Amino acid sequence: MGKVEGFDLVEKARALAPLITTDADEIERTRRLTGAVTAALIDNGLYRALLPKRFGGSEATLEAFMQMQEEVAKADASTAWCLGQCSVCAMTAAYLEPDAANEIFNVAPGILAWGAIAHEVKAVPGGYLANARWEFASGSRQASWLGAHVRVVEQDGTPRKKADGSAEVRTILFPATSATMHDVWDVIGLKGTGTDSYSVENLFIPEKFAALRDDPSALREDGPLYRLSTNMVFGMGFAATALGVARATLDAAIELSRGKTPQGLKAMRENNAVQGLIGRTEASLRAARAYLYATAAEVWRDLERGNPLTEGHRVAMRVASTWTIHQSASVVDTAYHMAGATAVFAANKFERRFRDMHAIAQQIQARDTHYEDAGRAILSGNLGGPPTTR
C-alpha cells in the first residue's frame, strides 16, 4: 500500500521527537521554542504541511496533519501547539494573490502567526490603516509575518457589510518587524508557546495583504483541504495534539507501573486495581482517537468525492474535536493520579503534561458551549445545508 499523501510529514515528526524531547526543558524555561527545534521544523517542511502545493507546501490530508501533530505532542505539547497554529495559518495562502503568498511563505523562515479576532481597520486608498493590539498569538516568536482578524470600517466611519448584511472581516497580514511584541505569556501550561500579544500603530496594510479568509468566494485553490475552514482544521489539529499528550502521559504511567512498588503495598504491576485502571484508560484513549480520526476520514472522503461541505460536517468535526480534548484530559488526570507522589517531581514530566493538558482544555477549541452549538444545529434539522459558520 502506498503512502498517504503528505504522510512523510508524520515520519519526519517522529524522527524529530528525540530533539524536541531533549529541548523540552529549555522550551519550558525560556517560554520559546529553541532555535534548534524551530530550524528542524522548518528544514523538514513541517510548518508547510497545509500550504498549497503551488507555493511549495505539502497540502497534506487532514489525517496526515493530525498525525503529525500527535507525534510532535508526544515529545512536547508547546512545540506541537505552535506548529499546529502556524500550519493552519498557512492555509491563508489559498485566499491570497500569488505574489503576496510567495512574499509571506517563500521568504525564510516563511512562518505566519496570529491572535484572537478583535478590533477594526479603516479603509483608505489602496488598503487599510491599523491601530490595535491583539492577544493569544501562539507561535508568534518564531513568525516572520503576523496577522489579525478585523472588521472593516469605511472612511466615513460606517461598518463595511457583506451581501448577507453581516460585518466584513478581513485577515490583515504584515511583517513581524512592523509590530511591537508584548511579553505577557506567564501561565501554568503550554508555557513554551510564547503566546504573547502584539500591537501596531498607524500601520498601512496594502489591499493584497488583506485576505477574505474562509470566504468561499475568495478561494483560489481547488483541493479538499481548502474547502474546510481554518477554524475546523484548528479544532481537529488541536484535538490530535491533546491525544498526543494523553498518549505520552499514559505510556509514562504504564512504564512506571511496571517497576514501582508503593510503600506498604504490592508492586503496581501485580495490583488488580492498577491493571483494571490501565485497561479501562487504554480503551478510553483508543476510543477517543478512533472517533476523531473516523470523523476526519468521513468528512475527507465526502470532499474528495466532490460533495459540498455541509453543516453536518461542521457539527461532526466540532463535536469530535471538543469531546476528544475533554477525553484526553480525563486520561491525563487518571495517569497523573496513578503515578502518585512520583508525578509531582518535574524530572518525571508528569506534572508538565498535566499542566499542558489542562491549558489545552481551557482553550477556545474545548469550550463546553460547542456542545450547545452542535445540539442547536442538530435540532434545527438542517444538517444537509451549507455550514452556518466557518
Side-chain angles (χ1 to χ4, degrees), residues 265-383:
L265 301 174
K266 63 182 177 180
M268 290 180 71
R269 67 180 180 276
E270 299 171 359
N271 187 309
N272 292 344
V274 172
Q275 293 166 355
L277 185 58
I278 287 175
R280 287 190 294 272
T281 308
E282 182 71 28
S284 295
L285 181 55
R286 292 191 187 199
R289 188 177 191 275
Y291 173 34
L292 185 72
Y293 278 92
T295 302
E298 182 178 355
V299 172
W300 193 265
R301 280 196 303 270
D302 282 350
L303 297 179
E304 279 194 315
R305 291 169 182 157
N307 296 330
L309 184 71
T310 67
E311 176 72 347
H313 290 135
R314 184 190 73 82
V315 169
M317 287 189 288
R318 173 54 75 197
V319 172
S321 59
T322 304
W323 188 83
T324 297
I325 293 173
H326 292 167
Q327 192 67 17
S328 295
S330 178
V331 168
V332 169
D333 287 353
T334 299
Y336 179 86
H337 290 295
M338 192 188 309
T342 301
V344 304
F345 291 93
N348 293 316
K349 305 300 182 289
F350 282 99
E351 59 88 27
R352 178 188 299 165
R353 289 175 179 140
F354 181 88
R355 290 185 288 102
D356 286 342
M357 185 65 248
H358 282 278
I360 292 172
Q362 292 292 104
Q363 298 287 336
I364 188 172
Q365 299 297 343
R367 284 178 176 171
D368 281 333
T369 53
H370 294 323
Y371 294 123
E372 298 173 17
D373 167 63
R376 183 167 54 252
I378 292 168
L379 289 170
S380 74
N382 191 34
L383 298 182

Side-chain angles (χ1 to χ4, degrees), residues 72-91:
V72 174
K74 291 175 186 177
D76 179 57
S78 289
T79 301
W81 194 269
C82 288
L83 176 62
Q85 174 77 15
C86 296
S87 295
V88 176
C89 290
M91 291 176 65

Side-chain angles (χ1 to χ4, degrees), residues 79-365:
T79 301
W81 194 269
C82 288
L83 176 62
Q85 174 77 15
C86 296
S87 295
V88 176
C89 290
M91 291 176 65
T92 308
Y95 299 87
L96 294 170
E97 296 177 9
D99 65 327
N102 277 313
E103 186 173 344
I104 295 169
F105 298 106
N106 285 327
V107 177
I111 299 173
L112 170 66
W114 59 49
I117 297 176
H119 306 300
E120 59 189 30
V121 292
K122 183 178 181 180
V124 296
Y128 306 88
L129 193 64
N131 284 279
R133 173 170 167 164
W134 296 274
E135 315 292 333
F136 296 103
S138 297
S140 57
R141 294 297 181 170
Q142 295 83 52
S144 47
W145 283 71
L146 297 172
H149 318 304
V150 293
R151 298 176 297 276
V152 177
V153 175
E154 303 292 3
Q155 292 188 59
D156 64 3
T158 60
R160 182 181 293 180
K161 303 288 187 180
K162 296 193 294 186
D164 63 3
S166 62
E168 180 177 289
V169 175
R170 287 187 176 257
T171 297
I172 57 171
L173 309 169
F174 45 89
T177 53
S178 299
T180 299
M181 298 299 301
H182 305 277
D183 188 345
V184 299
W185 195 242
D186 186 8
V187 291
I188 66 166
L190 295 178
K191 284 189 174 184
T193 60
T195 303
D196 287 319
S197 304
Y198 56 103
S199 60
V200 299
E201 293 184 12
N202 296 318
L203 180 64
F204 174 70
I205 310 294
E207 185 71 43
K208 69 177 182 178
F209 293 119
L212 285 168
R213 180 185 58 94
D214 291 339
D215 186 333
S217 68
L219 186 60
R220 297 167 179 261
E221 297 290 332
D222 297 326
L225 174 63
Y226 306 107
R227 291 161 67 187
L228 298 169
S229 71
T230 53
N231 196 41
M232 294 171 187
V233 182
F234 272 134
M236 300 300 278
F238 288 144
T241 298
L243 285 174
V245 177
R247 179 75 270 170
T249 313
L250 181 57
D251 283 351
I254 292 170
E255 185 61 29
L256 177 69
S257 299
R258 290 188 177 118
K260 183 176 180 179
T261 300
Q263 185 175 357
L265 301 174
K266 63 182 177 180
M268 290 180 71
R269 67 180 180 276
E270 299 171 359
N271 187 309
N272 292 344
V274 172
Q275 293 166 355
L277 185 58
I278 287 175
R280 287 190 294 272
T281 308
E282 182 71 28
S284 295
L285 181 55
R286 292 191 187 199
R289 188 177 191 275
Y291 173 34
L292 185 72
Y293 278 92
T295 302
E298 182 178 355
V299 172
W300 193 265
R301 280 196 303 270
D302 282 350
L303 297 179
E304 279 194 315
R305 291 169 182 157
N307 296 330
L309 184 71
T310 67
E311 176 72 347
H313 290 135
R314 184 190 73 82
V315 169
M317 287 189 288
R318 173 54 75 197
V319 172
S321 59
T322 304
W323 188 83
T324 297
I325 293 173
H326 292 167
Q327 192 67 17
S328 295
S330 178
V331 168
V332 169
D333 287 353
T334 299
Y336 179 86
H337 290 295
M338 192 188 309
T342 301
V344 304
F345 291 93
N348 293 316
K349 305 300 182 289
F350 282 99
E351 59 88 27
R352 178 188 299 165
R353 289 175 179 140
F354 181 88
R355 290 185 288 102
D356 286 342
M357 185 65 248
H358 282 278
I360 292 172
Q362 292 292 104
Q363 298 287 336
I364 188 172
Q365 299 297 343

